[in-house]
Amino acid sequence: MKLSRDELKGLMKNKMMKAGLPEDQAETVSEVLTWSDERGYHSHGAVRVEYYSERIAKGGWTLNPKFSWQETGPCSAMFDGDNASGYVAAKMAMEKAIEMAKRNGIAVVGIKNIAHSGALGYYTEMAANQDMVAISFCQSDPMAVPFGGTEPYYGTNPISFAAPTADDRQVVFDMATTVQAWGKILDKRSRHELIPDTWAVDEKGVPVTDPHLVNALVPIAGAKGYGLMMLVDVFSGVLLGVPFGKHVSSMYHDLSEGRGLGQMHIVMDPERFVGLEAFKKSMSQVCDELGEMAPAPGHDKVYYPGERAVMRREKAYATGGVDIADDVYEYLKSDDIHYNRYDHKNRFAD
Ligand code: NAI
């Protein structure tokens, strides 16, 4: 089903308000979800609304949060999200981080006690839109083995960075540190297809091709991706005093409880380094040079990170709207708040 931006955002916002989320918060969450869907990151768009609505209805998001912002130095701060929506807390913390970086050059902001905050590129792009360079990391529930291990220890722990250019392009890199998301395994299960042996392992840590035998996902690039997963967990977990590693709460464990997750935003003002105009000019040069390079066989072009996401958004609106799965659309336009499908499920929502 193809939907206009307003239709899609409105349906999601209304559903979450019906579940009990105050309007200003529903506005923020639905905006970030729309940002994801229109860029083709459907794993972090409307498909999540039913789960969020169940969590909202069951009390797992603090609906009237008391956020706290404590500056621990000229360039550092802790933001306590009071176990509210991660979207609302992460967005507010990024606004404050941008303001601090404009004031003092750099802002390192730890965000603790939040729920899932979705696609990280939304927050780093906020900084690039204000001529800042930013990086963000966050924890997610343990479902990946460390390199050489047998048990899930780290989450899909994503990393995003963004930077402005001298024109209307923004570089927005945004990835999970696992080879594939769990959603891709579920998709293969439902299609009765095998998975490549590079995606996941069984209980003995042995690579599997049968999606039903998956016990854990694997890091990107072996030991190197494992190191990046650890980096994310150290910066957004251990450093902030929230549960880390295998102690991070599971998304579906108990939907009436807060998740206590951590996230970190680091924002830098290029003016304090090479100078803003020189930085933006060089970033435009980087994007130009990459785009002008002869592509390798099987590729049509070398894209800078985030370029294809913007192309997907433009194509969606030029061809009738954002494509939303039919079952997700049926749910969004129904009168139902949720179908009690996620509470007390395992880490894979099984
Ligand atoms: P992906 O694999 O679709 O893309 C990863 C990166 O590679 C993107 O920056 C993309 O621009 C770039 N890219 C992909 N193909 C490219 C090409 N041909 N040329 C140049 N660049 C290219 O992303 P992934 O890993 O599936 O993550 C999807 C989303 O899930 C992200 O927004 C991430 O933040 C989010 N996420 C959120 C989590 C959370 O707990 N909040 C956990 C895990 C992921």
Side-chain angles (χ1 to χ4, degrees):
M1 173 61 64
K2 295 206 177 226
L3 298 178
S4 71
R5 190 174 213 282
D6 286 350
E7 278 173 303
L8 173 60
K9 186 175 164 184
L11 283 169
M12 295 194 285
K13 183 175 169 181
N14 285 342
K15 185 67 77 180
M16 289 183 282
M17 285 173 64
K18 204 167 169 196
L21 194 64
E23 183 175 2
D24 56 336
Q25 296 182 46
E27 167 68 26
T28 297
V29 182
S30 56
E31 173 60 30
V32 185
L33 295 173
T34 304
W35 183 96
S36 303
D37 266 325
E38 66 191 3
R39 282 165 178 72
Y41 293 135
H42 295 299
S43 59
H44 286 74
V47 71
R48 302 274 175 156
V49 173
E50 187 192 337
Y51 159 69
Y52 294 147
S53 296
E54 187 174 340
R55 183 170 272 282
I56 294 163
K58 292 184 173 177
W61 282 2
T62 307
L63 298 181
N64 295 297
K66 292 187 176 53
F67 293 134
S68 89
W69 168 260
Q70 189 192 358
E71 298 200 2
T72 53
C75 301
S76 57
M78 287 288 288
F79 183 95
D80 191 325
D82 195 17
N83 277 314
S85 157
Y87 294 83
V88 174
K91 184 176 179 215
M92 192 177 288
M94 181 53 90
E95 285 162 358
K96 288 179 168 292
I98 293 168
E99 188 273 323
M100 178 182 254
K102 283 184 176 170
R103 202 173 357 120
N104 294 337
I106 296 181
V108 181
V109 174
I111 309 159
K112 62 178 183 178
N113 299 324
I114 59 168
H116 191 236
S117 64
L120 297 194
Y122 179 85
Y123 310 104
T124 55
E125 190 187 89
M126 282 172 65
N129 284 337
Q130 301 225 20
D131 284 340
M132 298 282 143
V133 182
I135 182 162
S136 188
F137 331 94
C138 76
Q139 299 178 304
S140 75
D141 27 339
M143 52 168 69
V145 281
F147 183 67
T150 53
E151 293 169 30
Y153 191 85
Y154 285 125
T156 53
N157 293 6
I159 301 175
S160 174
F161 83 85
T165 69
D167 43 77
D168 59 356
R169 294 173 290 186
Q170 310 283 30
V171 173
V172 182
F173 177 75
D174 189 13
M175 67 154 202
T177 48
T178 44
V179 173
Q180 284 297 357
W182 174 246
K184 302 258 175 67
I185 311 266
L186 280 184
D187 183 51
K188 291 290 186 185
R189 277 187 183 177
S190 62
R191 293 169 194 269
H192 305 290
E193 289 175 6
L194 296 178
I195 58 171
D197 64 2
T198 49
W199 286 15
V201 292
D202 66 11
E203 288 187 347
K204 292 184 177 149
V206 175
V208 286
T209 54
D210 180 346
H212 295 277
L213 296 180
V214 171
N215 181 50
L217 305 174
V218 295
I220 53 169
K224 298 178 185 180
Y226 158 50
L228 287 177
M229 274 175 185
M230 178 184 269
L231 176 153
V232 170
D233 193 55
V234 170
F235 280 65
S236 60
V238 181
L239 198 57
L240 309 186
V242 294
F244 49 82
K246 68 177 183 180
H247 309 287
V248 172
S249 67
S250 167
M251 189 170 274
Y252 309 112
H253 170 62
D254 183 343
L255 268 58
S256 67
E257 282 184 356
R259 292 200 58 204
L261 297 178
Q263 183 158 350
M264 175 166 277
H265 297 325
I266 301 175
V267 180
M268 286 178 275
D269 182 357
E271 193 60 43
R272 309 288 182 126
F273 298 91
V274 68
L276 178 62
E277 292 316 313
F279 178 77
K280 294 204 303 186
K281 191 162 166 259
S282 296
M283 287 307 300
S284 287
Q285 183 181 340
V286 169
C287 294
D288 289 341
E289 288 173 354
L290 291 171
E292 287 157 7
M293 186 183 297
H299 296 263
D300 60 343
K301 190 190 163 191
V302 176
Y303 296 94
Y304 63 83
E307 183 174 7
R308 289 167 13 122
V310 172
M311 287 166 63
R312 286 192 291 268
R313 182 190 64 192
E314 285 169 0
K315 186 173 172 202
Y317 292 125
T319 55
V322 183
D323 209 359
I324 298 299
D326 288 346
D327 58 338
V328 174
Y329 174 65
E330 290 303 322
Y331 160 70
L332 288 177
K333 73 180 176 72
S334 75
D335 290 331
D336 306 325
I337 293 177
H338 65 83
Y339 303 124
N340 230 358
R341 291 204 301 156
Y342 293 104
D343 209 359
H344 292 97
K345 294 286 170 62
N346 70 13
R347 63 183 180 277
F348 297 140
D350 272 346

